[in-house]
Amino acid sequence: MSKRTLGVVFFPAFDWAISPTHPEREERLLYTQDQLREEGLFDLPGITEYKPGVATYEDIERVHFCLPDVGRVCSASHLASAGGAIRAGELVLSGERERAFALVRPPGHHAMRVTHGNRGFCNVNMEAVMIENLRRRFGPLRVAIVDTDCHHGDGTQDIYWNDPDTLFISMHQDGRTLYPGTGFLPECGGPGALGRTVNIPLPPGTGDEGYLYVTKNVVLPLLEAFKPDLVINSAGQDNHYTDPLTNMQLSAHGYAAMNALLNPHIAVLEGGYSIRGALPYVNLGICLALAGLPFEHVHEPDHDAKALKQRPQVTEYISRLCDDVLNQYHNPPSRPSEGHRDGEWWRRERDIYYDTDGLSEHQNEGIRLCPDCPGLTCIETSSDRVDKSLCLLLPRNACPHCRDLAHRLVETTGKKSGRYAHVLCIGGQ
């Protein structure tokens, strides 16, 4: 009998792949499916497999500005993957299960607030779609997202950059050595949520010892300080020592031990491209840890603890890094690291490349520096596919002034004016 009831939502997306030989293809989860069933996981009382739901366009539009529209950005597989994450969230928030793991693909943590296509194998952000669906249905939730994917979760960071009710922690391989080249300490949140973004850029060669040290000495104290209602693990597995795209040394046992420490309410699969050597073992370890079951026997056939021992220089670097991260969290800067003040607005300009689709996007973003709420966000965006468009984001509990300003902008800058190809508004998530 499992210590905690666990729901495993499974969706391998049989009909979606970037290409037949691309690392992000359906085999990513088929070996995991075989492993979990061969180990008899679903024969254990308290552990149940579930099918995903299907996210609606409204679910996607609660989070994303999809340009030119949702149908051009999302396939049916993306809606099912997001629906799988929503199903996992429903299992926990409804009380049907104590923990849930969404073993779904395609992944999503590189999908930003504005999305014109696929970047980093991601079109829409599964965790964010789940979170905002749960907030709509179950009321205000204080949420912590701990992203353990080897790549920086730049999409999730962008979506929650100015949200004081969401703590985003990303522990990833240093962006100086890996895509997307972001996720440094100074990136700590927008003007209305300084300190709510926490980046922990780890050096190549970080193994079980380093990940567990960071979890114990940084992540858990931050969660204790923030006191979230809900903890979500973006459970990317590409920091495994056999992953072909990265340079880390985490093992399946290390993953399970890290998850046992985090004890998240919900885990959502992100990256991980060692299809046979890592994912079946890592996913089994995570399931056991979530269910509160022993996982000491979970080891890869080629696991060599001596060969994977973390170098002393890496250990020393991580110790200093953790001190810096904690100091910044408790003493955040007075202004964001990106952009500048322009009257009552905070502005930043960005060029974003969609590596999978080969698209270039240009953004001009302004966040109103509001004394009564996190502030209205106005984004002018254009790409190789879409002419200049205006995206307006009202925060939850937006003040009357920001709401009135958003409504005026929708009325005065609509398509009839000829100024923008599209005018979109997300009104107070």
Side-chain angles (χ1 to χ4, degrees):
M1 180 72 178
S2 61
K3 182 179 178 181
R4 293 183 291 268
T5 56
L6 171 67
V8 179
V9 183
F10 192 82
F11 179 68
F14 291 106
D15 61 344
W16 187 86
I18 292 172
S19 74
T21 58
H22 195 279
E24 177 47 69
R25 62 186 189 273
E26 68 183 56
E27 286 88 348
R28 283 189 64 218
L29 287 181
L30 297 185
Y31 286 99
T32 286
Q33 185 179 49
D34 292 343
Q35 183 82 9
L36 298 185
R37 289 178 178 167
E38 286 174 9
E39 295 286 344
L41 186 77
F42 300 115
D43 296 329
L44 297 174
I47 301 179
T48 308
E49 182 179 359
Y50 293 84
K51 301 302 180 187
V54 178
T56 65
Y57 279 17
E58 183 181 6
D59 289 322
I60 305 301
E61 291 171 332
R62 198 174 289 116
V63 171
H64 289 291
F65 298 107
C66 296
L67 291 165
D69 53 57
V70 177
R72 289 282 296 276
V73 170
C74 290
S75 69
S77 290
H78 292 99
L79 296 177
S81 184
I86 290 172
R87 183 75 177 109
E90 290 172 339
L91 289 172
V92 173
L93 268 292
S94 68
E96 183 173 343
R97 301 278 101 175
E98 293 173 278
R99 298 290 184 268
F101 189 7
L103 275 168
V104 297
R105 57 175 294 274
H109 77 149
H110 293 304
M112 296 183 169
R113 176 69 71 182
V114 176
T115 178
H116 291 254
N118 188 305
R119 59 183 303 275
F121 316 159
C122 303
N123 289 62
V124 295
N125 194 295
M126 308 309 165
E127 288 87 343
V129 171
M130 173 186 69
I131 290 166
E132 299 314 321
N133 177 283
L134 296 177
R135 281 172 164 161
R136 178 185 64 85
R137 295 181 55 194
F138 296 95
L141 292 169
R142 194 169 172 85
V143 178
I145 306 166
V146 182
D147 190 325
T148 53
D149 191 282
C150 198
H151 301 85
H152 175 230
D154 57 342
T156 311
Q157 174 173 299
D158 181 66
I159 290 169
Y160 291 111
W161 190 65
N162 200 48
D163 183 351
D165 296 320
T166 306
L167 174 66
F168 175 64
I169 303 172
S170 181
M171 42 200 298
H172 50 269
Q173 185 174 323
D174 194 312
R176 293 172 295 183
T177 65
L178 192 69
Y179 177 90
T182 54
F184 302 106
L185 263 68
E187 301 166 34
C188 62
L194 287 165
R196 291 293 187 253
T197 294
V198 179
N199 283 302
I200 310 171
L202 298 169
T206 300
D208 293 5
E209 179 186 353
Y211 275 95
L212 294 177
Y213 183 90
V214 172
T215 303
K216 292 175 183 176
N217 291 280
V218 177
V219 178
L220 294 183
L222 295 189
L223 293 177
E224 176 61 28
F226 184 68
K227 301 190 184 312
D229 302 310
L230 192 65
V231 177
I232 296 162
N233 177 207
S234 290
Q237 300 167 17
D238 40 11
N239 31 28
H240 191 267
Y241 64 87
T242 63
D243 197 275
L245 303 185
T246 62
N247 311 103
M248 297 305 220
Q249 294 184 329
L250 195 56
S251 71
H253 184 271
Y255 270 102
M258 180 170 62
N259 192 275
L261 287 170
L262 282 175
N263 191 20
H265 298 92
I266 304 160
V268 180
L269 179 66
E270 282 292 343
Y273 306 100
S274 178
I275 293 172
R276 297 187 184 187
L279 268 71
Y281 309 101
V282 175
N283 285 319
L284 174 62
I286 290 175
C287 285
L288 293 173
L290 285 169
L293 291 169
F295 50 80
E296 286 72 19
H297 64 287
V298 178
H299 288 290
E300 305 85 339
D302 65 346
H303 182 266
D304 183 343
K306 186 176 179 180
L308 294 171
K309 186 173 176 58
Q310 187 173 284
R311 292 185 298 118
Q313 300 95 313
V314 171
T315 302
E316 293 169 7
Y317 182 95
I318 291 172
S319 178
R320 295 193 302 270
L321 173 65
C322 288
D323 291 341
D324 292 340
V325 172
L326 286 172
N327 180 62
Q328 179 171 269
Y329 179 81
H330 293 295
N331 302 281
S334 59
R335 50 184 284 168
S337 61
E338 304 172 63
H340 64 279
R341 181 164 188 159
D342 178 16
E344 67 169 5
W345 294 85
W346 187 267
R347 301 193 184 279
R348 62 176 177 169
E349 187 172 353
R350 299 190 293 170
D351 291 301
I352 299 165
Y353 183 61
Y354 292 71
D355 54 301
T356 311
D357 280 352
L359 291 175
S360 293
E361 177 195 0
H362 183 74
Q363 279 190 17
N364 281 298
E365 179 187 71
I367 298 175
R368 183 171 179 266
L369 300 172
C370 181
D372 301 313
C373 72
L376 171 68
T377 298
C378 302
I379 305 171
E380 285 188 336
T381 174
S382 60
S383 72
D384 300 332
R385 285 183 181 168
V386 179
D387 291 336
K388 184 181 286 187
S389 301
L390 179 64
C391 303
L392 303 169
L393 173 68
L394 272 169
R396 286 180 299 278
N397 302 318
C399 71
H401 187 91
C402 284
R403 287 188 180 276
D404 291 345
L405 179 56
H407 294 152
R408 288 201 304 272
L409 287 170
V410 169
E411 293 173 2
T412 58
T413 60
K415 196 169 183 180
K416 291 182 179 179
S417 71
R419 185 176 174 187
Y420 296 109
H422 304 272
V423 177
L424 306 172
C425 184
I426 296 177
Q429 296 175 311

